[in-house]
Amino acid sequence: MRWRPQVTFSTPLVWSLHAAYWFIPVSFTLFTLHYLGINISSSTALHGLTAGAISSIILAMIARIALGHSGRALIPHTAMKYAFAFIILAGISRVCAQHLQIYSTFNVYILAAGTWILAYTIYLICYWRVLTSPRPDGRPG
């Protein structure tokens, strides 16, 4: 509650980091369950850390850092909130894929990969000009 979700939810650069962080304890819990003999694969727990935590944190950080280091205001493009949601959906679907495949004919792994690719494609489209144009304040960098 000290993260103040009622305040941070309106700031995509912040809520995306908070959502990404939650993959870490979830993944460690999945590792614990795996080593206790529960039907959780170590691959599922590992993908919680990689596809969930790491890729979400990287996307949130490069979105913020690209703006700050290019001399722009820390206000991401409106589409980035969808990119953050897609990368989180990719992590969740990848973690749940092993168990969802039993109940669905839809390939959840394709959903996970597709939303991951979509998230980073949105970033690339939104930030291409930011990353390839000079700083608006005229400073070097």
Side-chain angles (χ1 to χ4, degrees):
M1 293 314 302
R2 294 184 73 190
W3 282 1
R4 299 179 11 186
Q6 70 279 11
V7 175
T8 60
F9 190 70
S10 63
T11 309
L13 288 175
V14 177
W15 68 252
S16 59
L17 285 169
H18 289 189
Y21 169 81
W22 279 104
F23 278 103
I24 297 170
V26 167
S27 298
F28 286 144
T29 302
L30 292 172
F31 273 119
T32 301
L33 294 173
H34 168 73
Y35 288 115
L36 288 174
I38 308 297
N39 187 22
I40 303 287
S41 71
S42 62
S43 174
T44 297
L46 184 61
H47 276 90
L49 283 175
T50 56
I54 294 172
S55 64
S56 298
I57 289 171
I58 287 172
L59 183 63
M61 290 303 297
I62 62 176
R64 188 258 178 250
I65 290 168
L67 293 172
H69 286 261
S70 66
R72 290 168 173 79
L74 298 180
I75 302 169
H77 190 279
T78 306
M80 282 308 295
K81 65 183 170 187
Y82 299 108
F84 297 143
F86 284 135
I87 200 71
I88 291 163
L89 176 62
I92 291 170
S93 59
R94 182 55 189 90
V95 167
C96 297
Q98 177 184 6
H99 298 289
L100 291 177
Q101 290 294 119
I102 297 168
Y103 304 108
S104 173
T105 57
F106 181 74
N107 193 335
V108 183
Y109 295 112
I110 291 175
L111 173 68
T115 52
W116 193 93
I117 291 167
L118 183 58
Y120 278 94
T121 301
I122 291 170
Y123 170 80
L124 183 63
I125 291 168
C126 291
Y127 280 79
W128 182 261
R129 207 175 101 216
V130 170
L131 297 170
T132 59
S133 62
R135 290 173 58 115
D137 59 8
R139 294 178 60 195

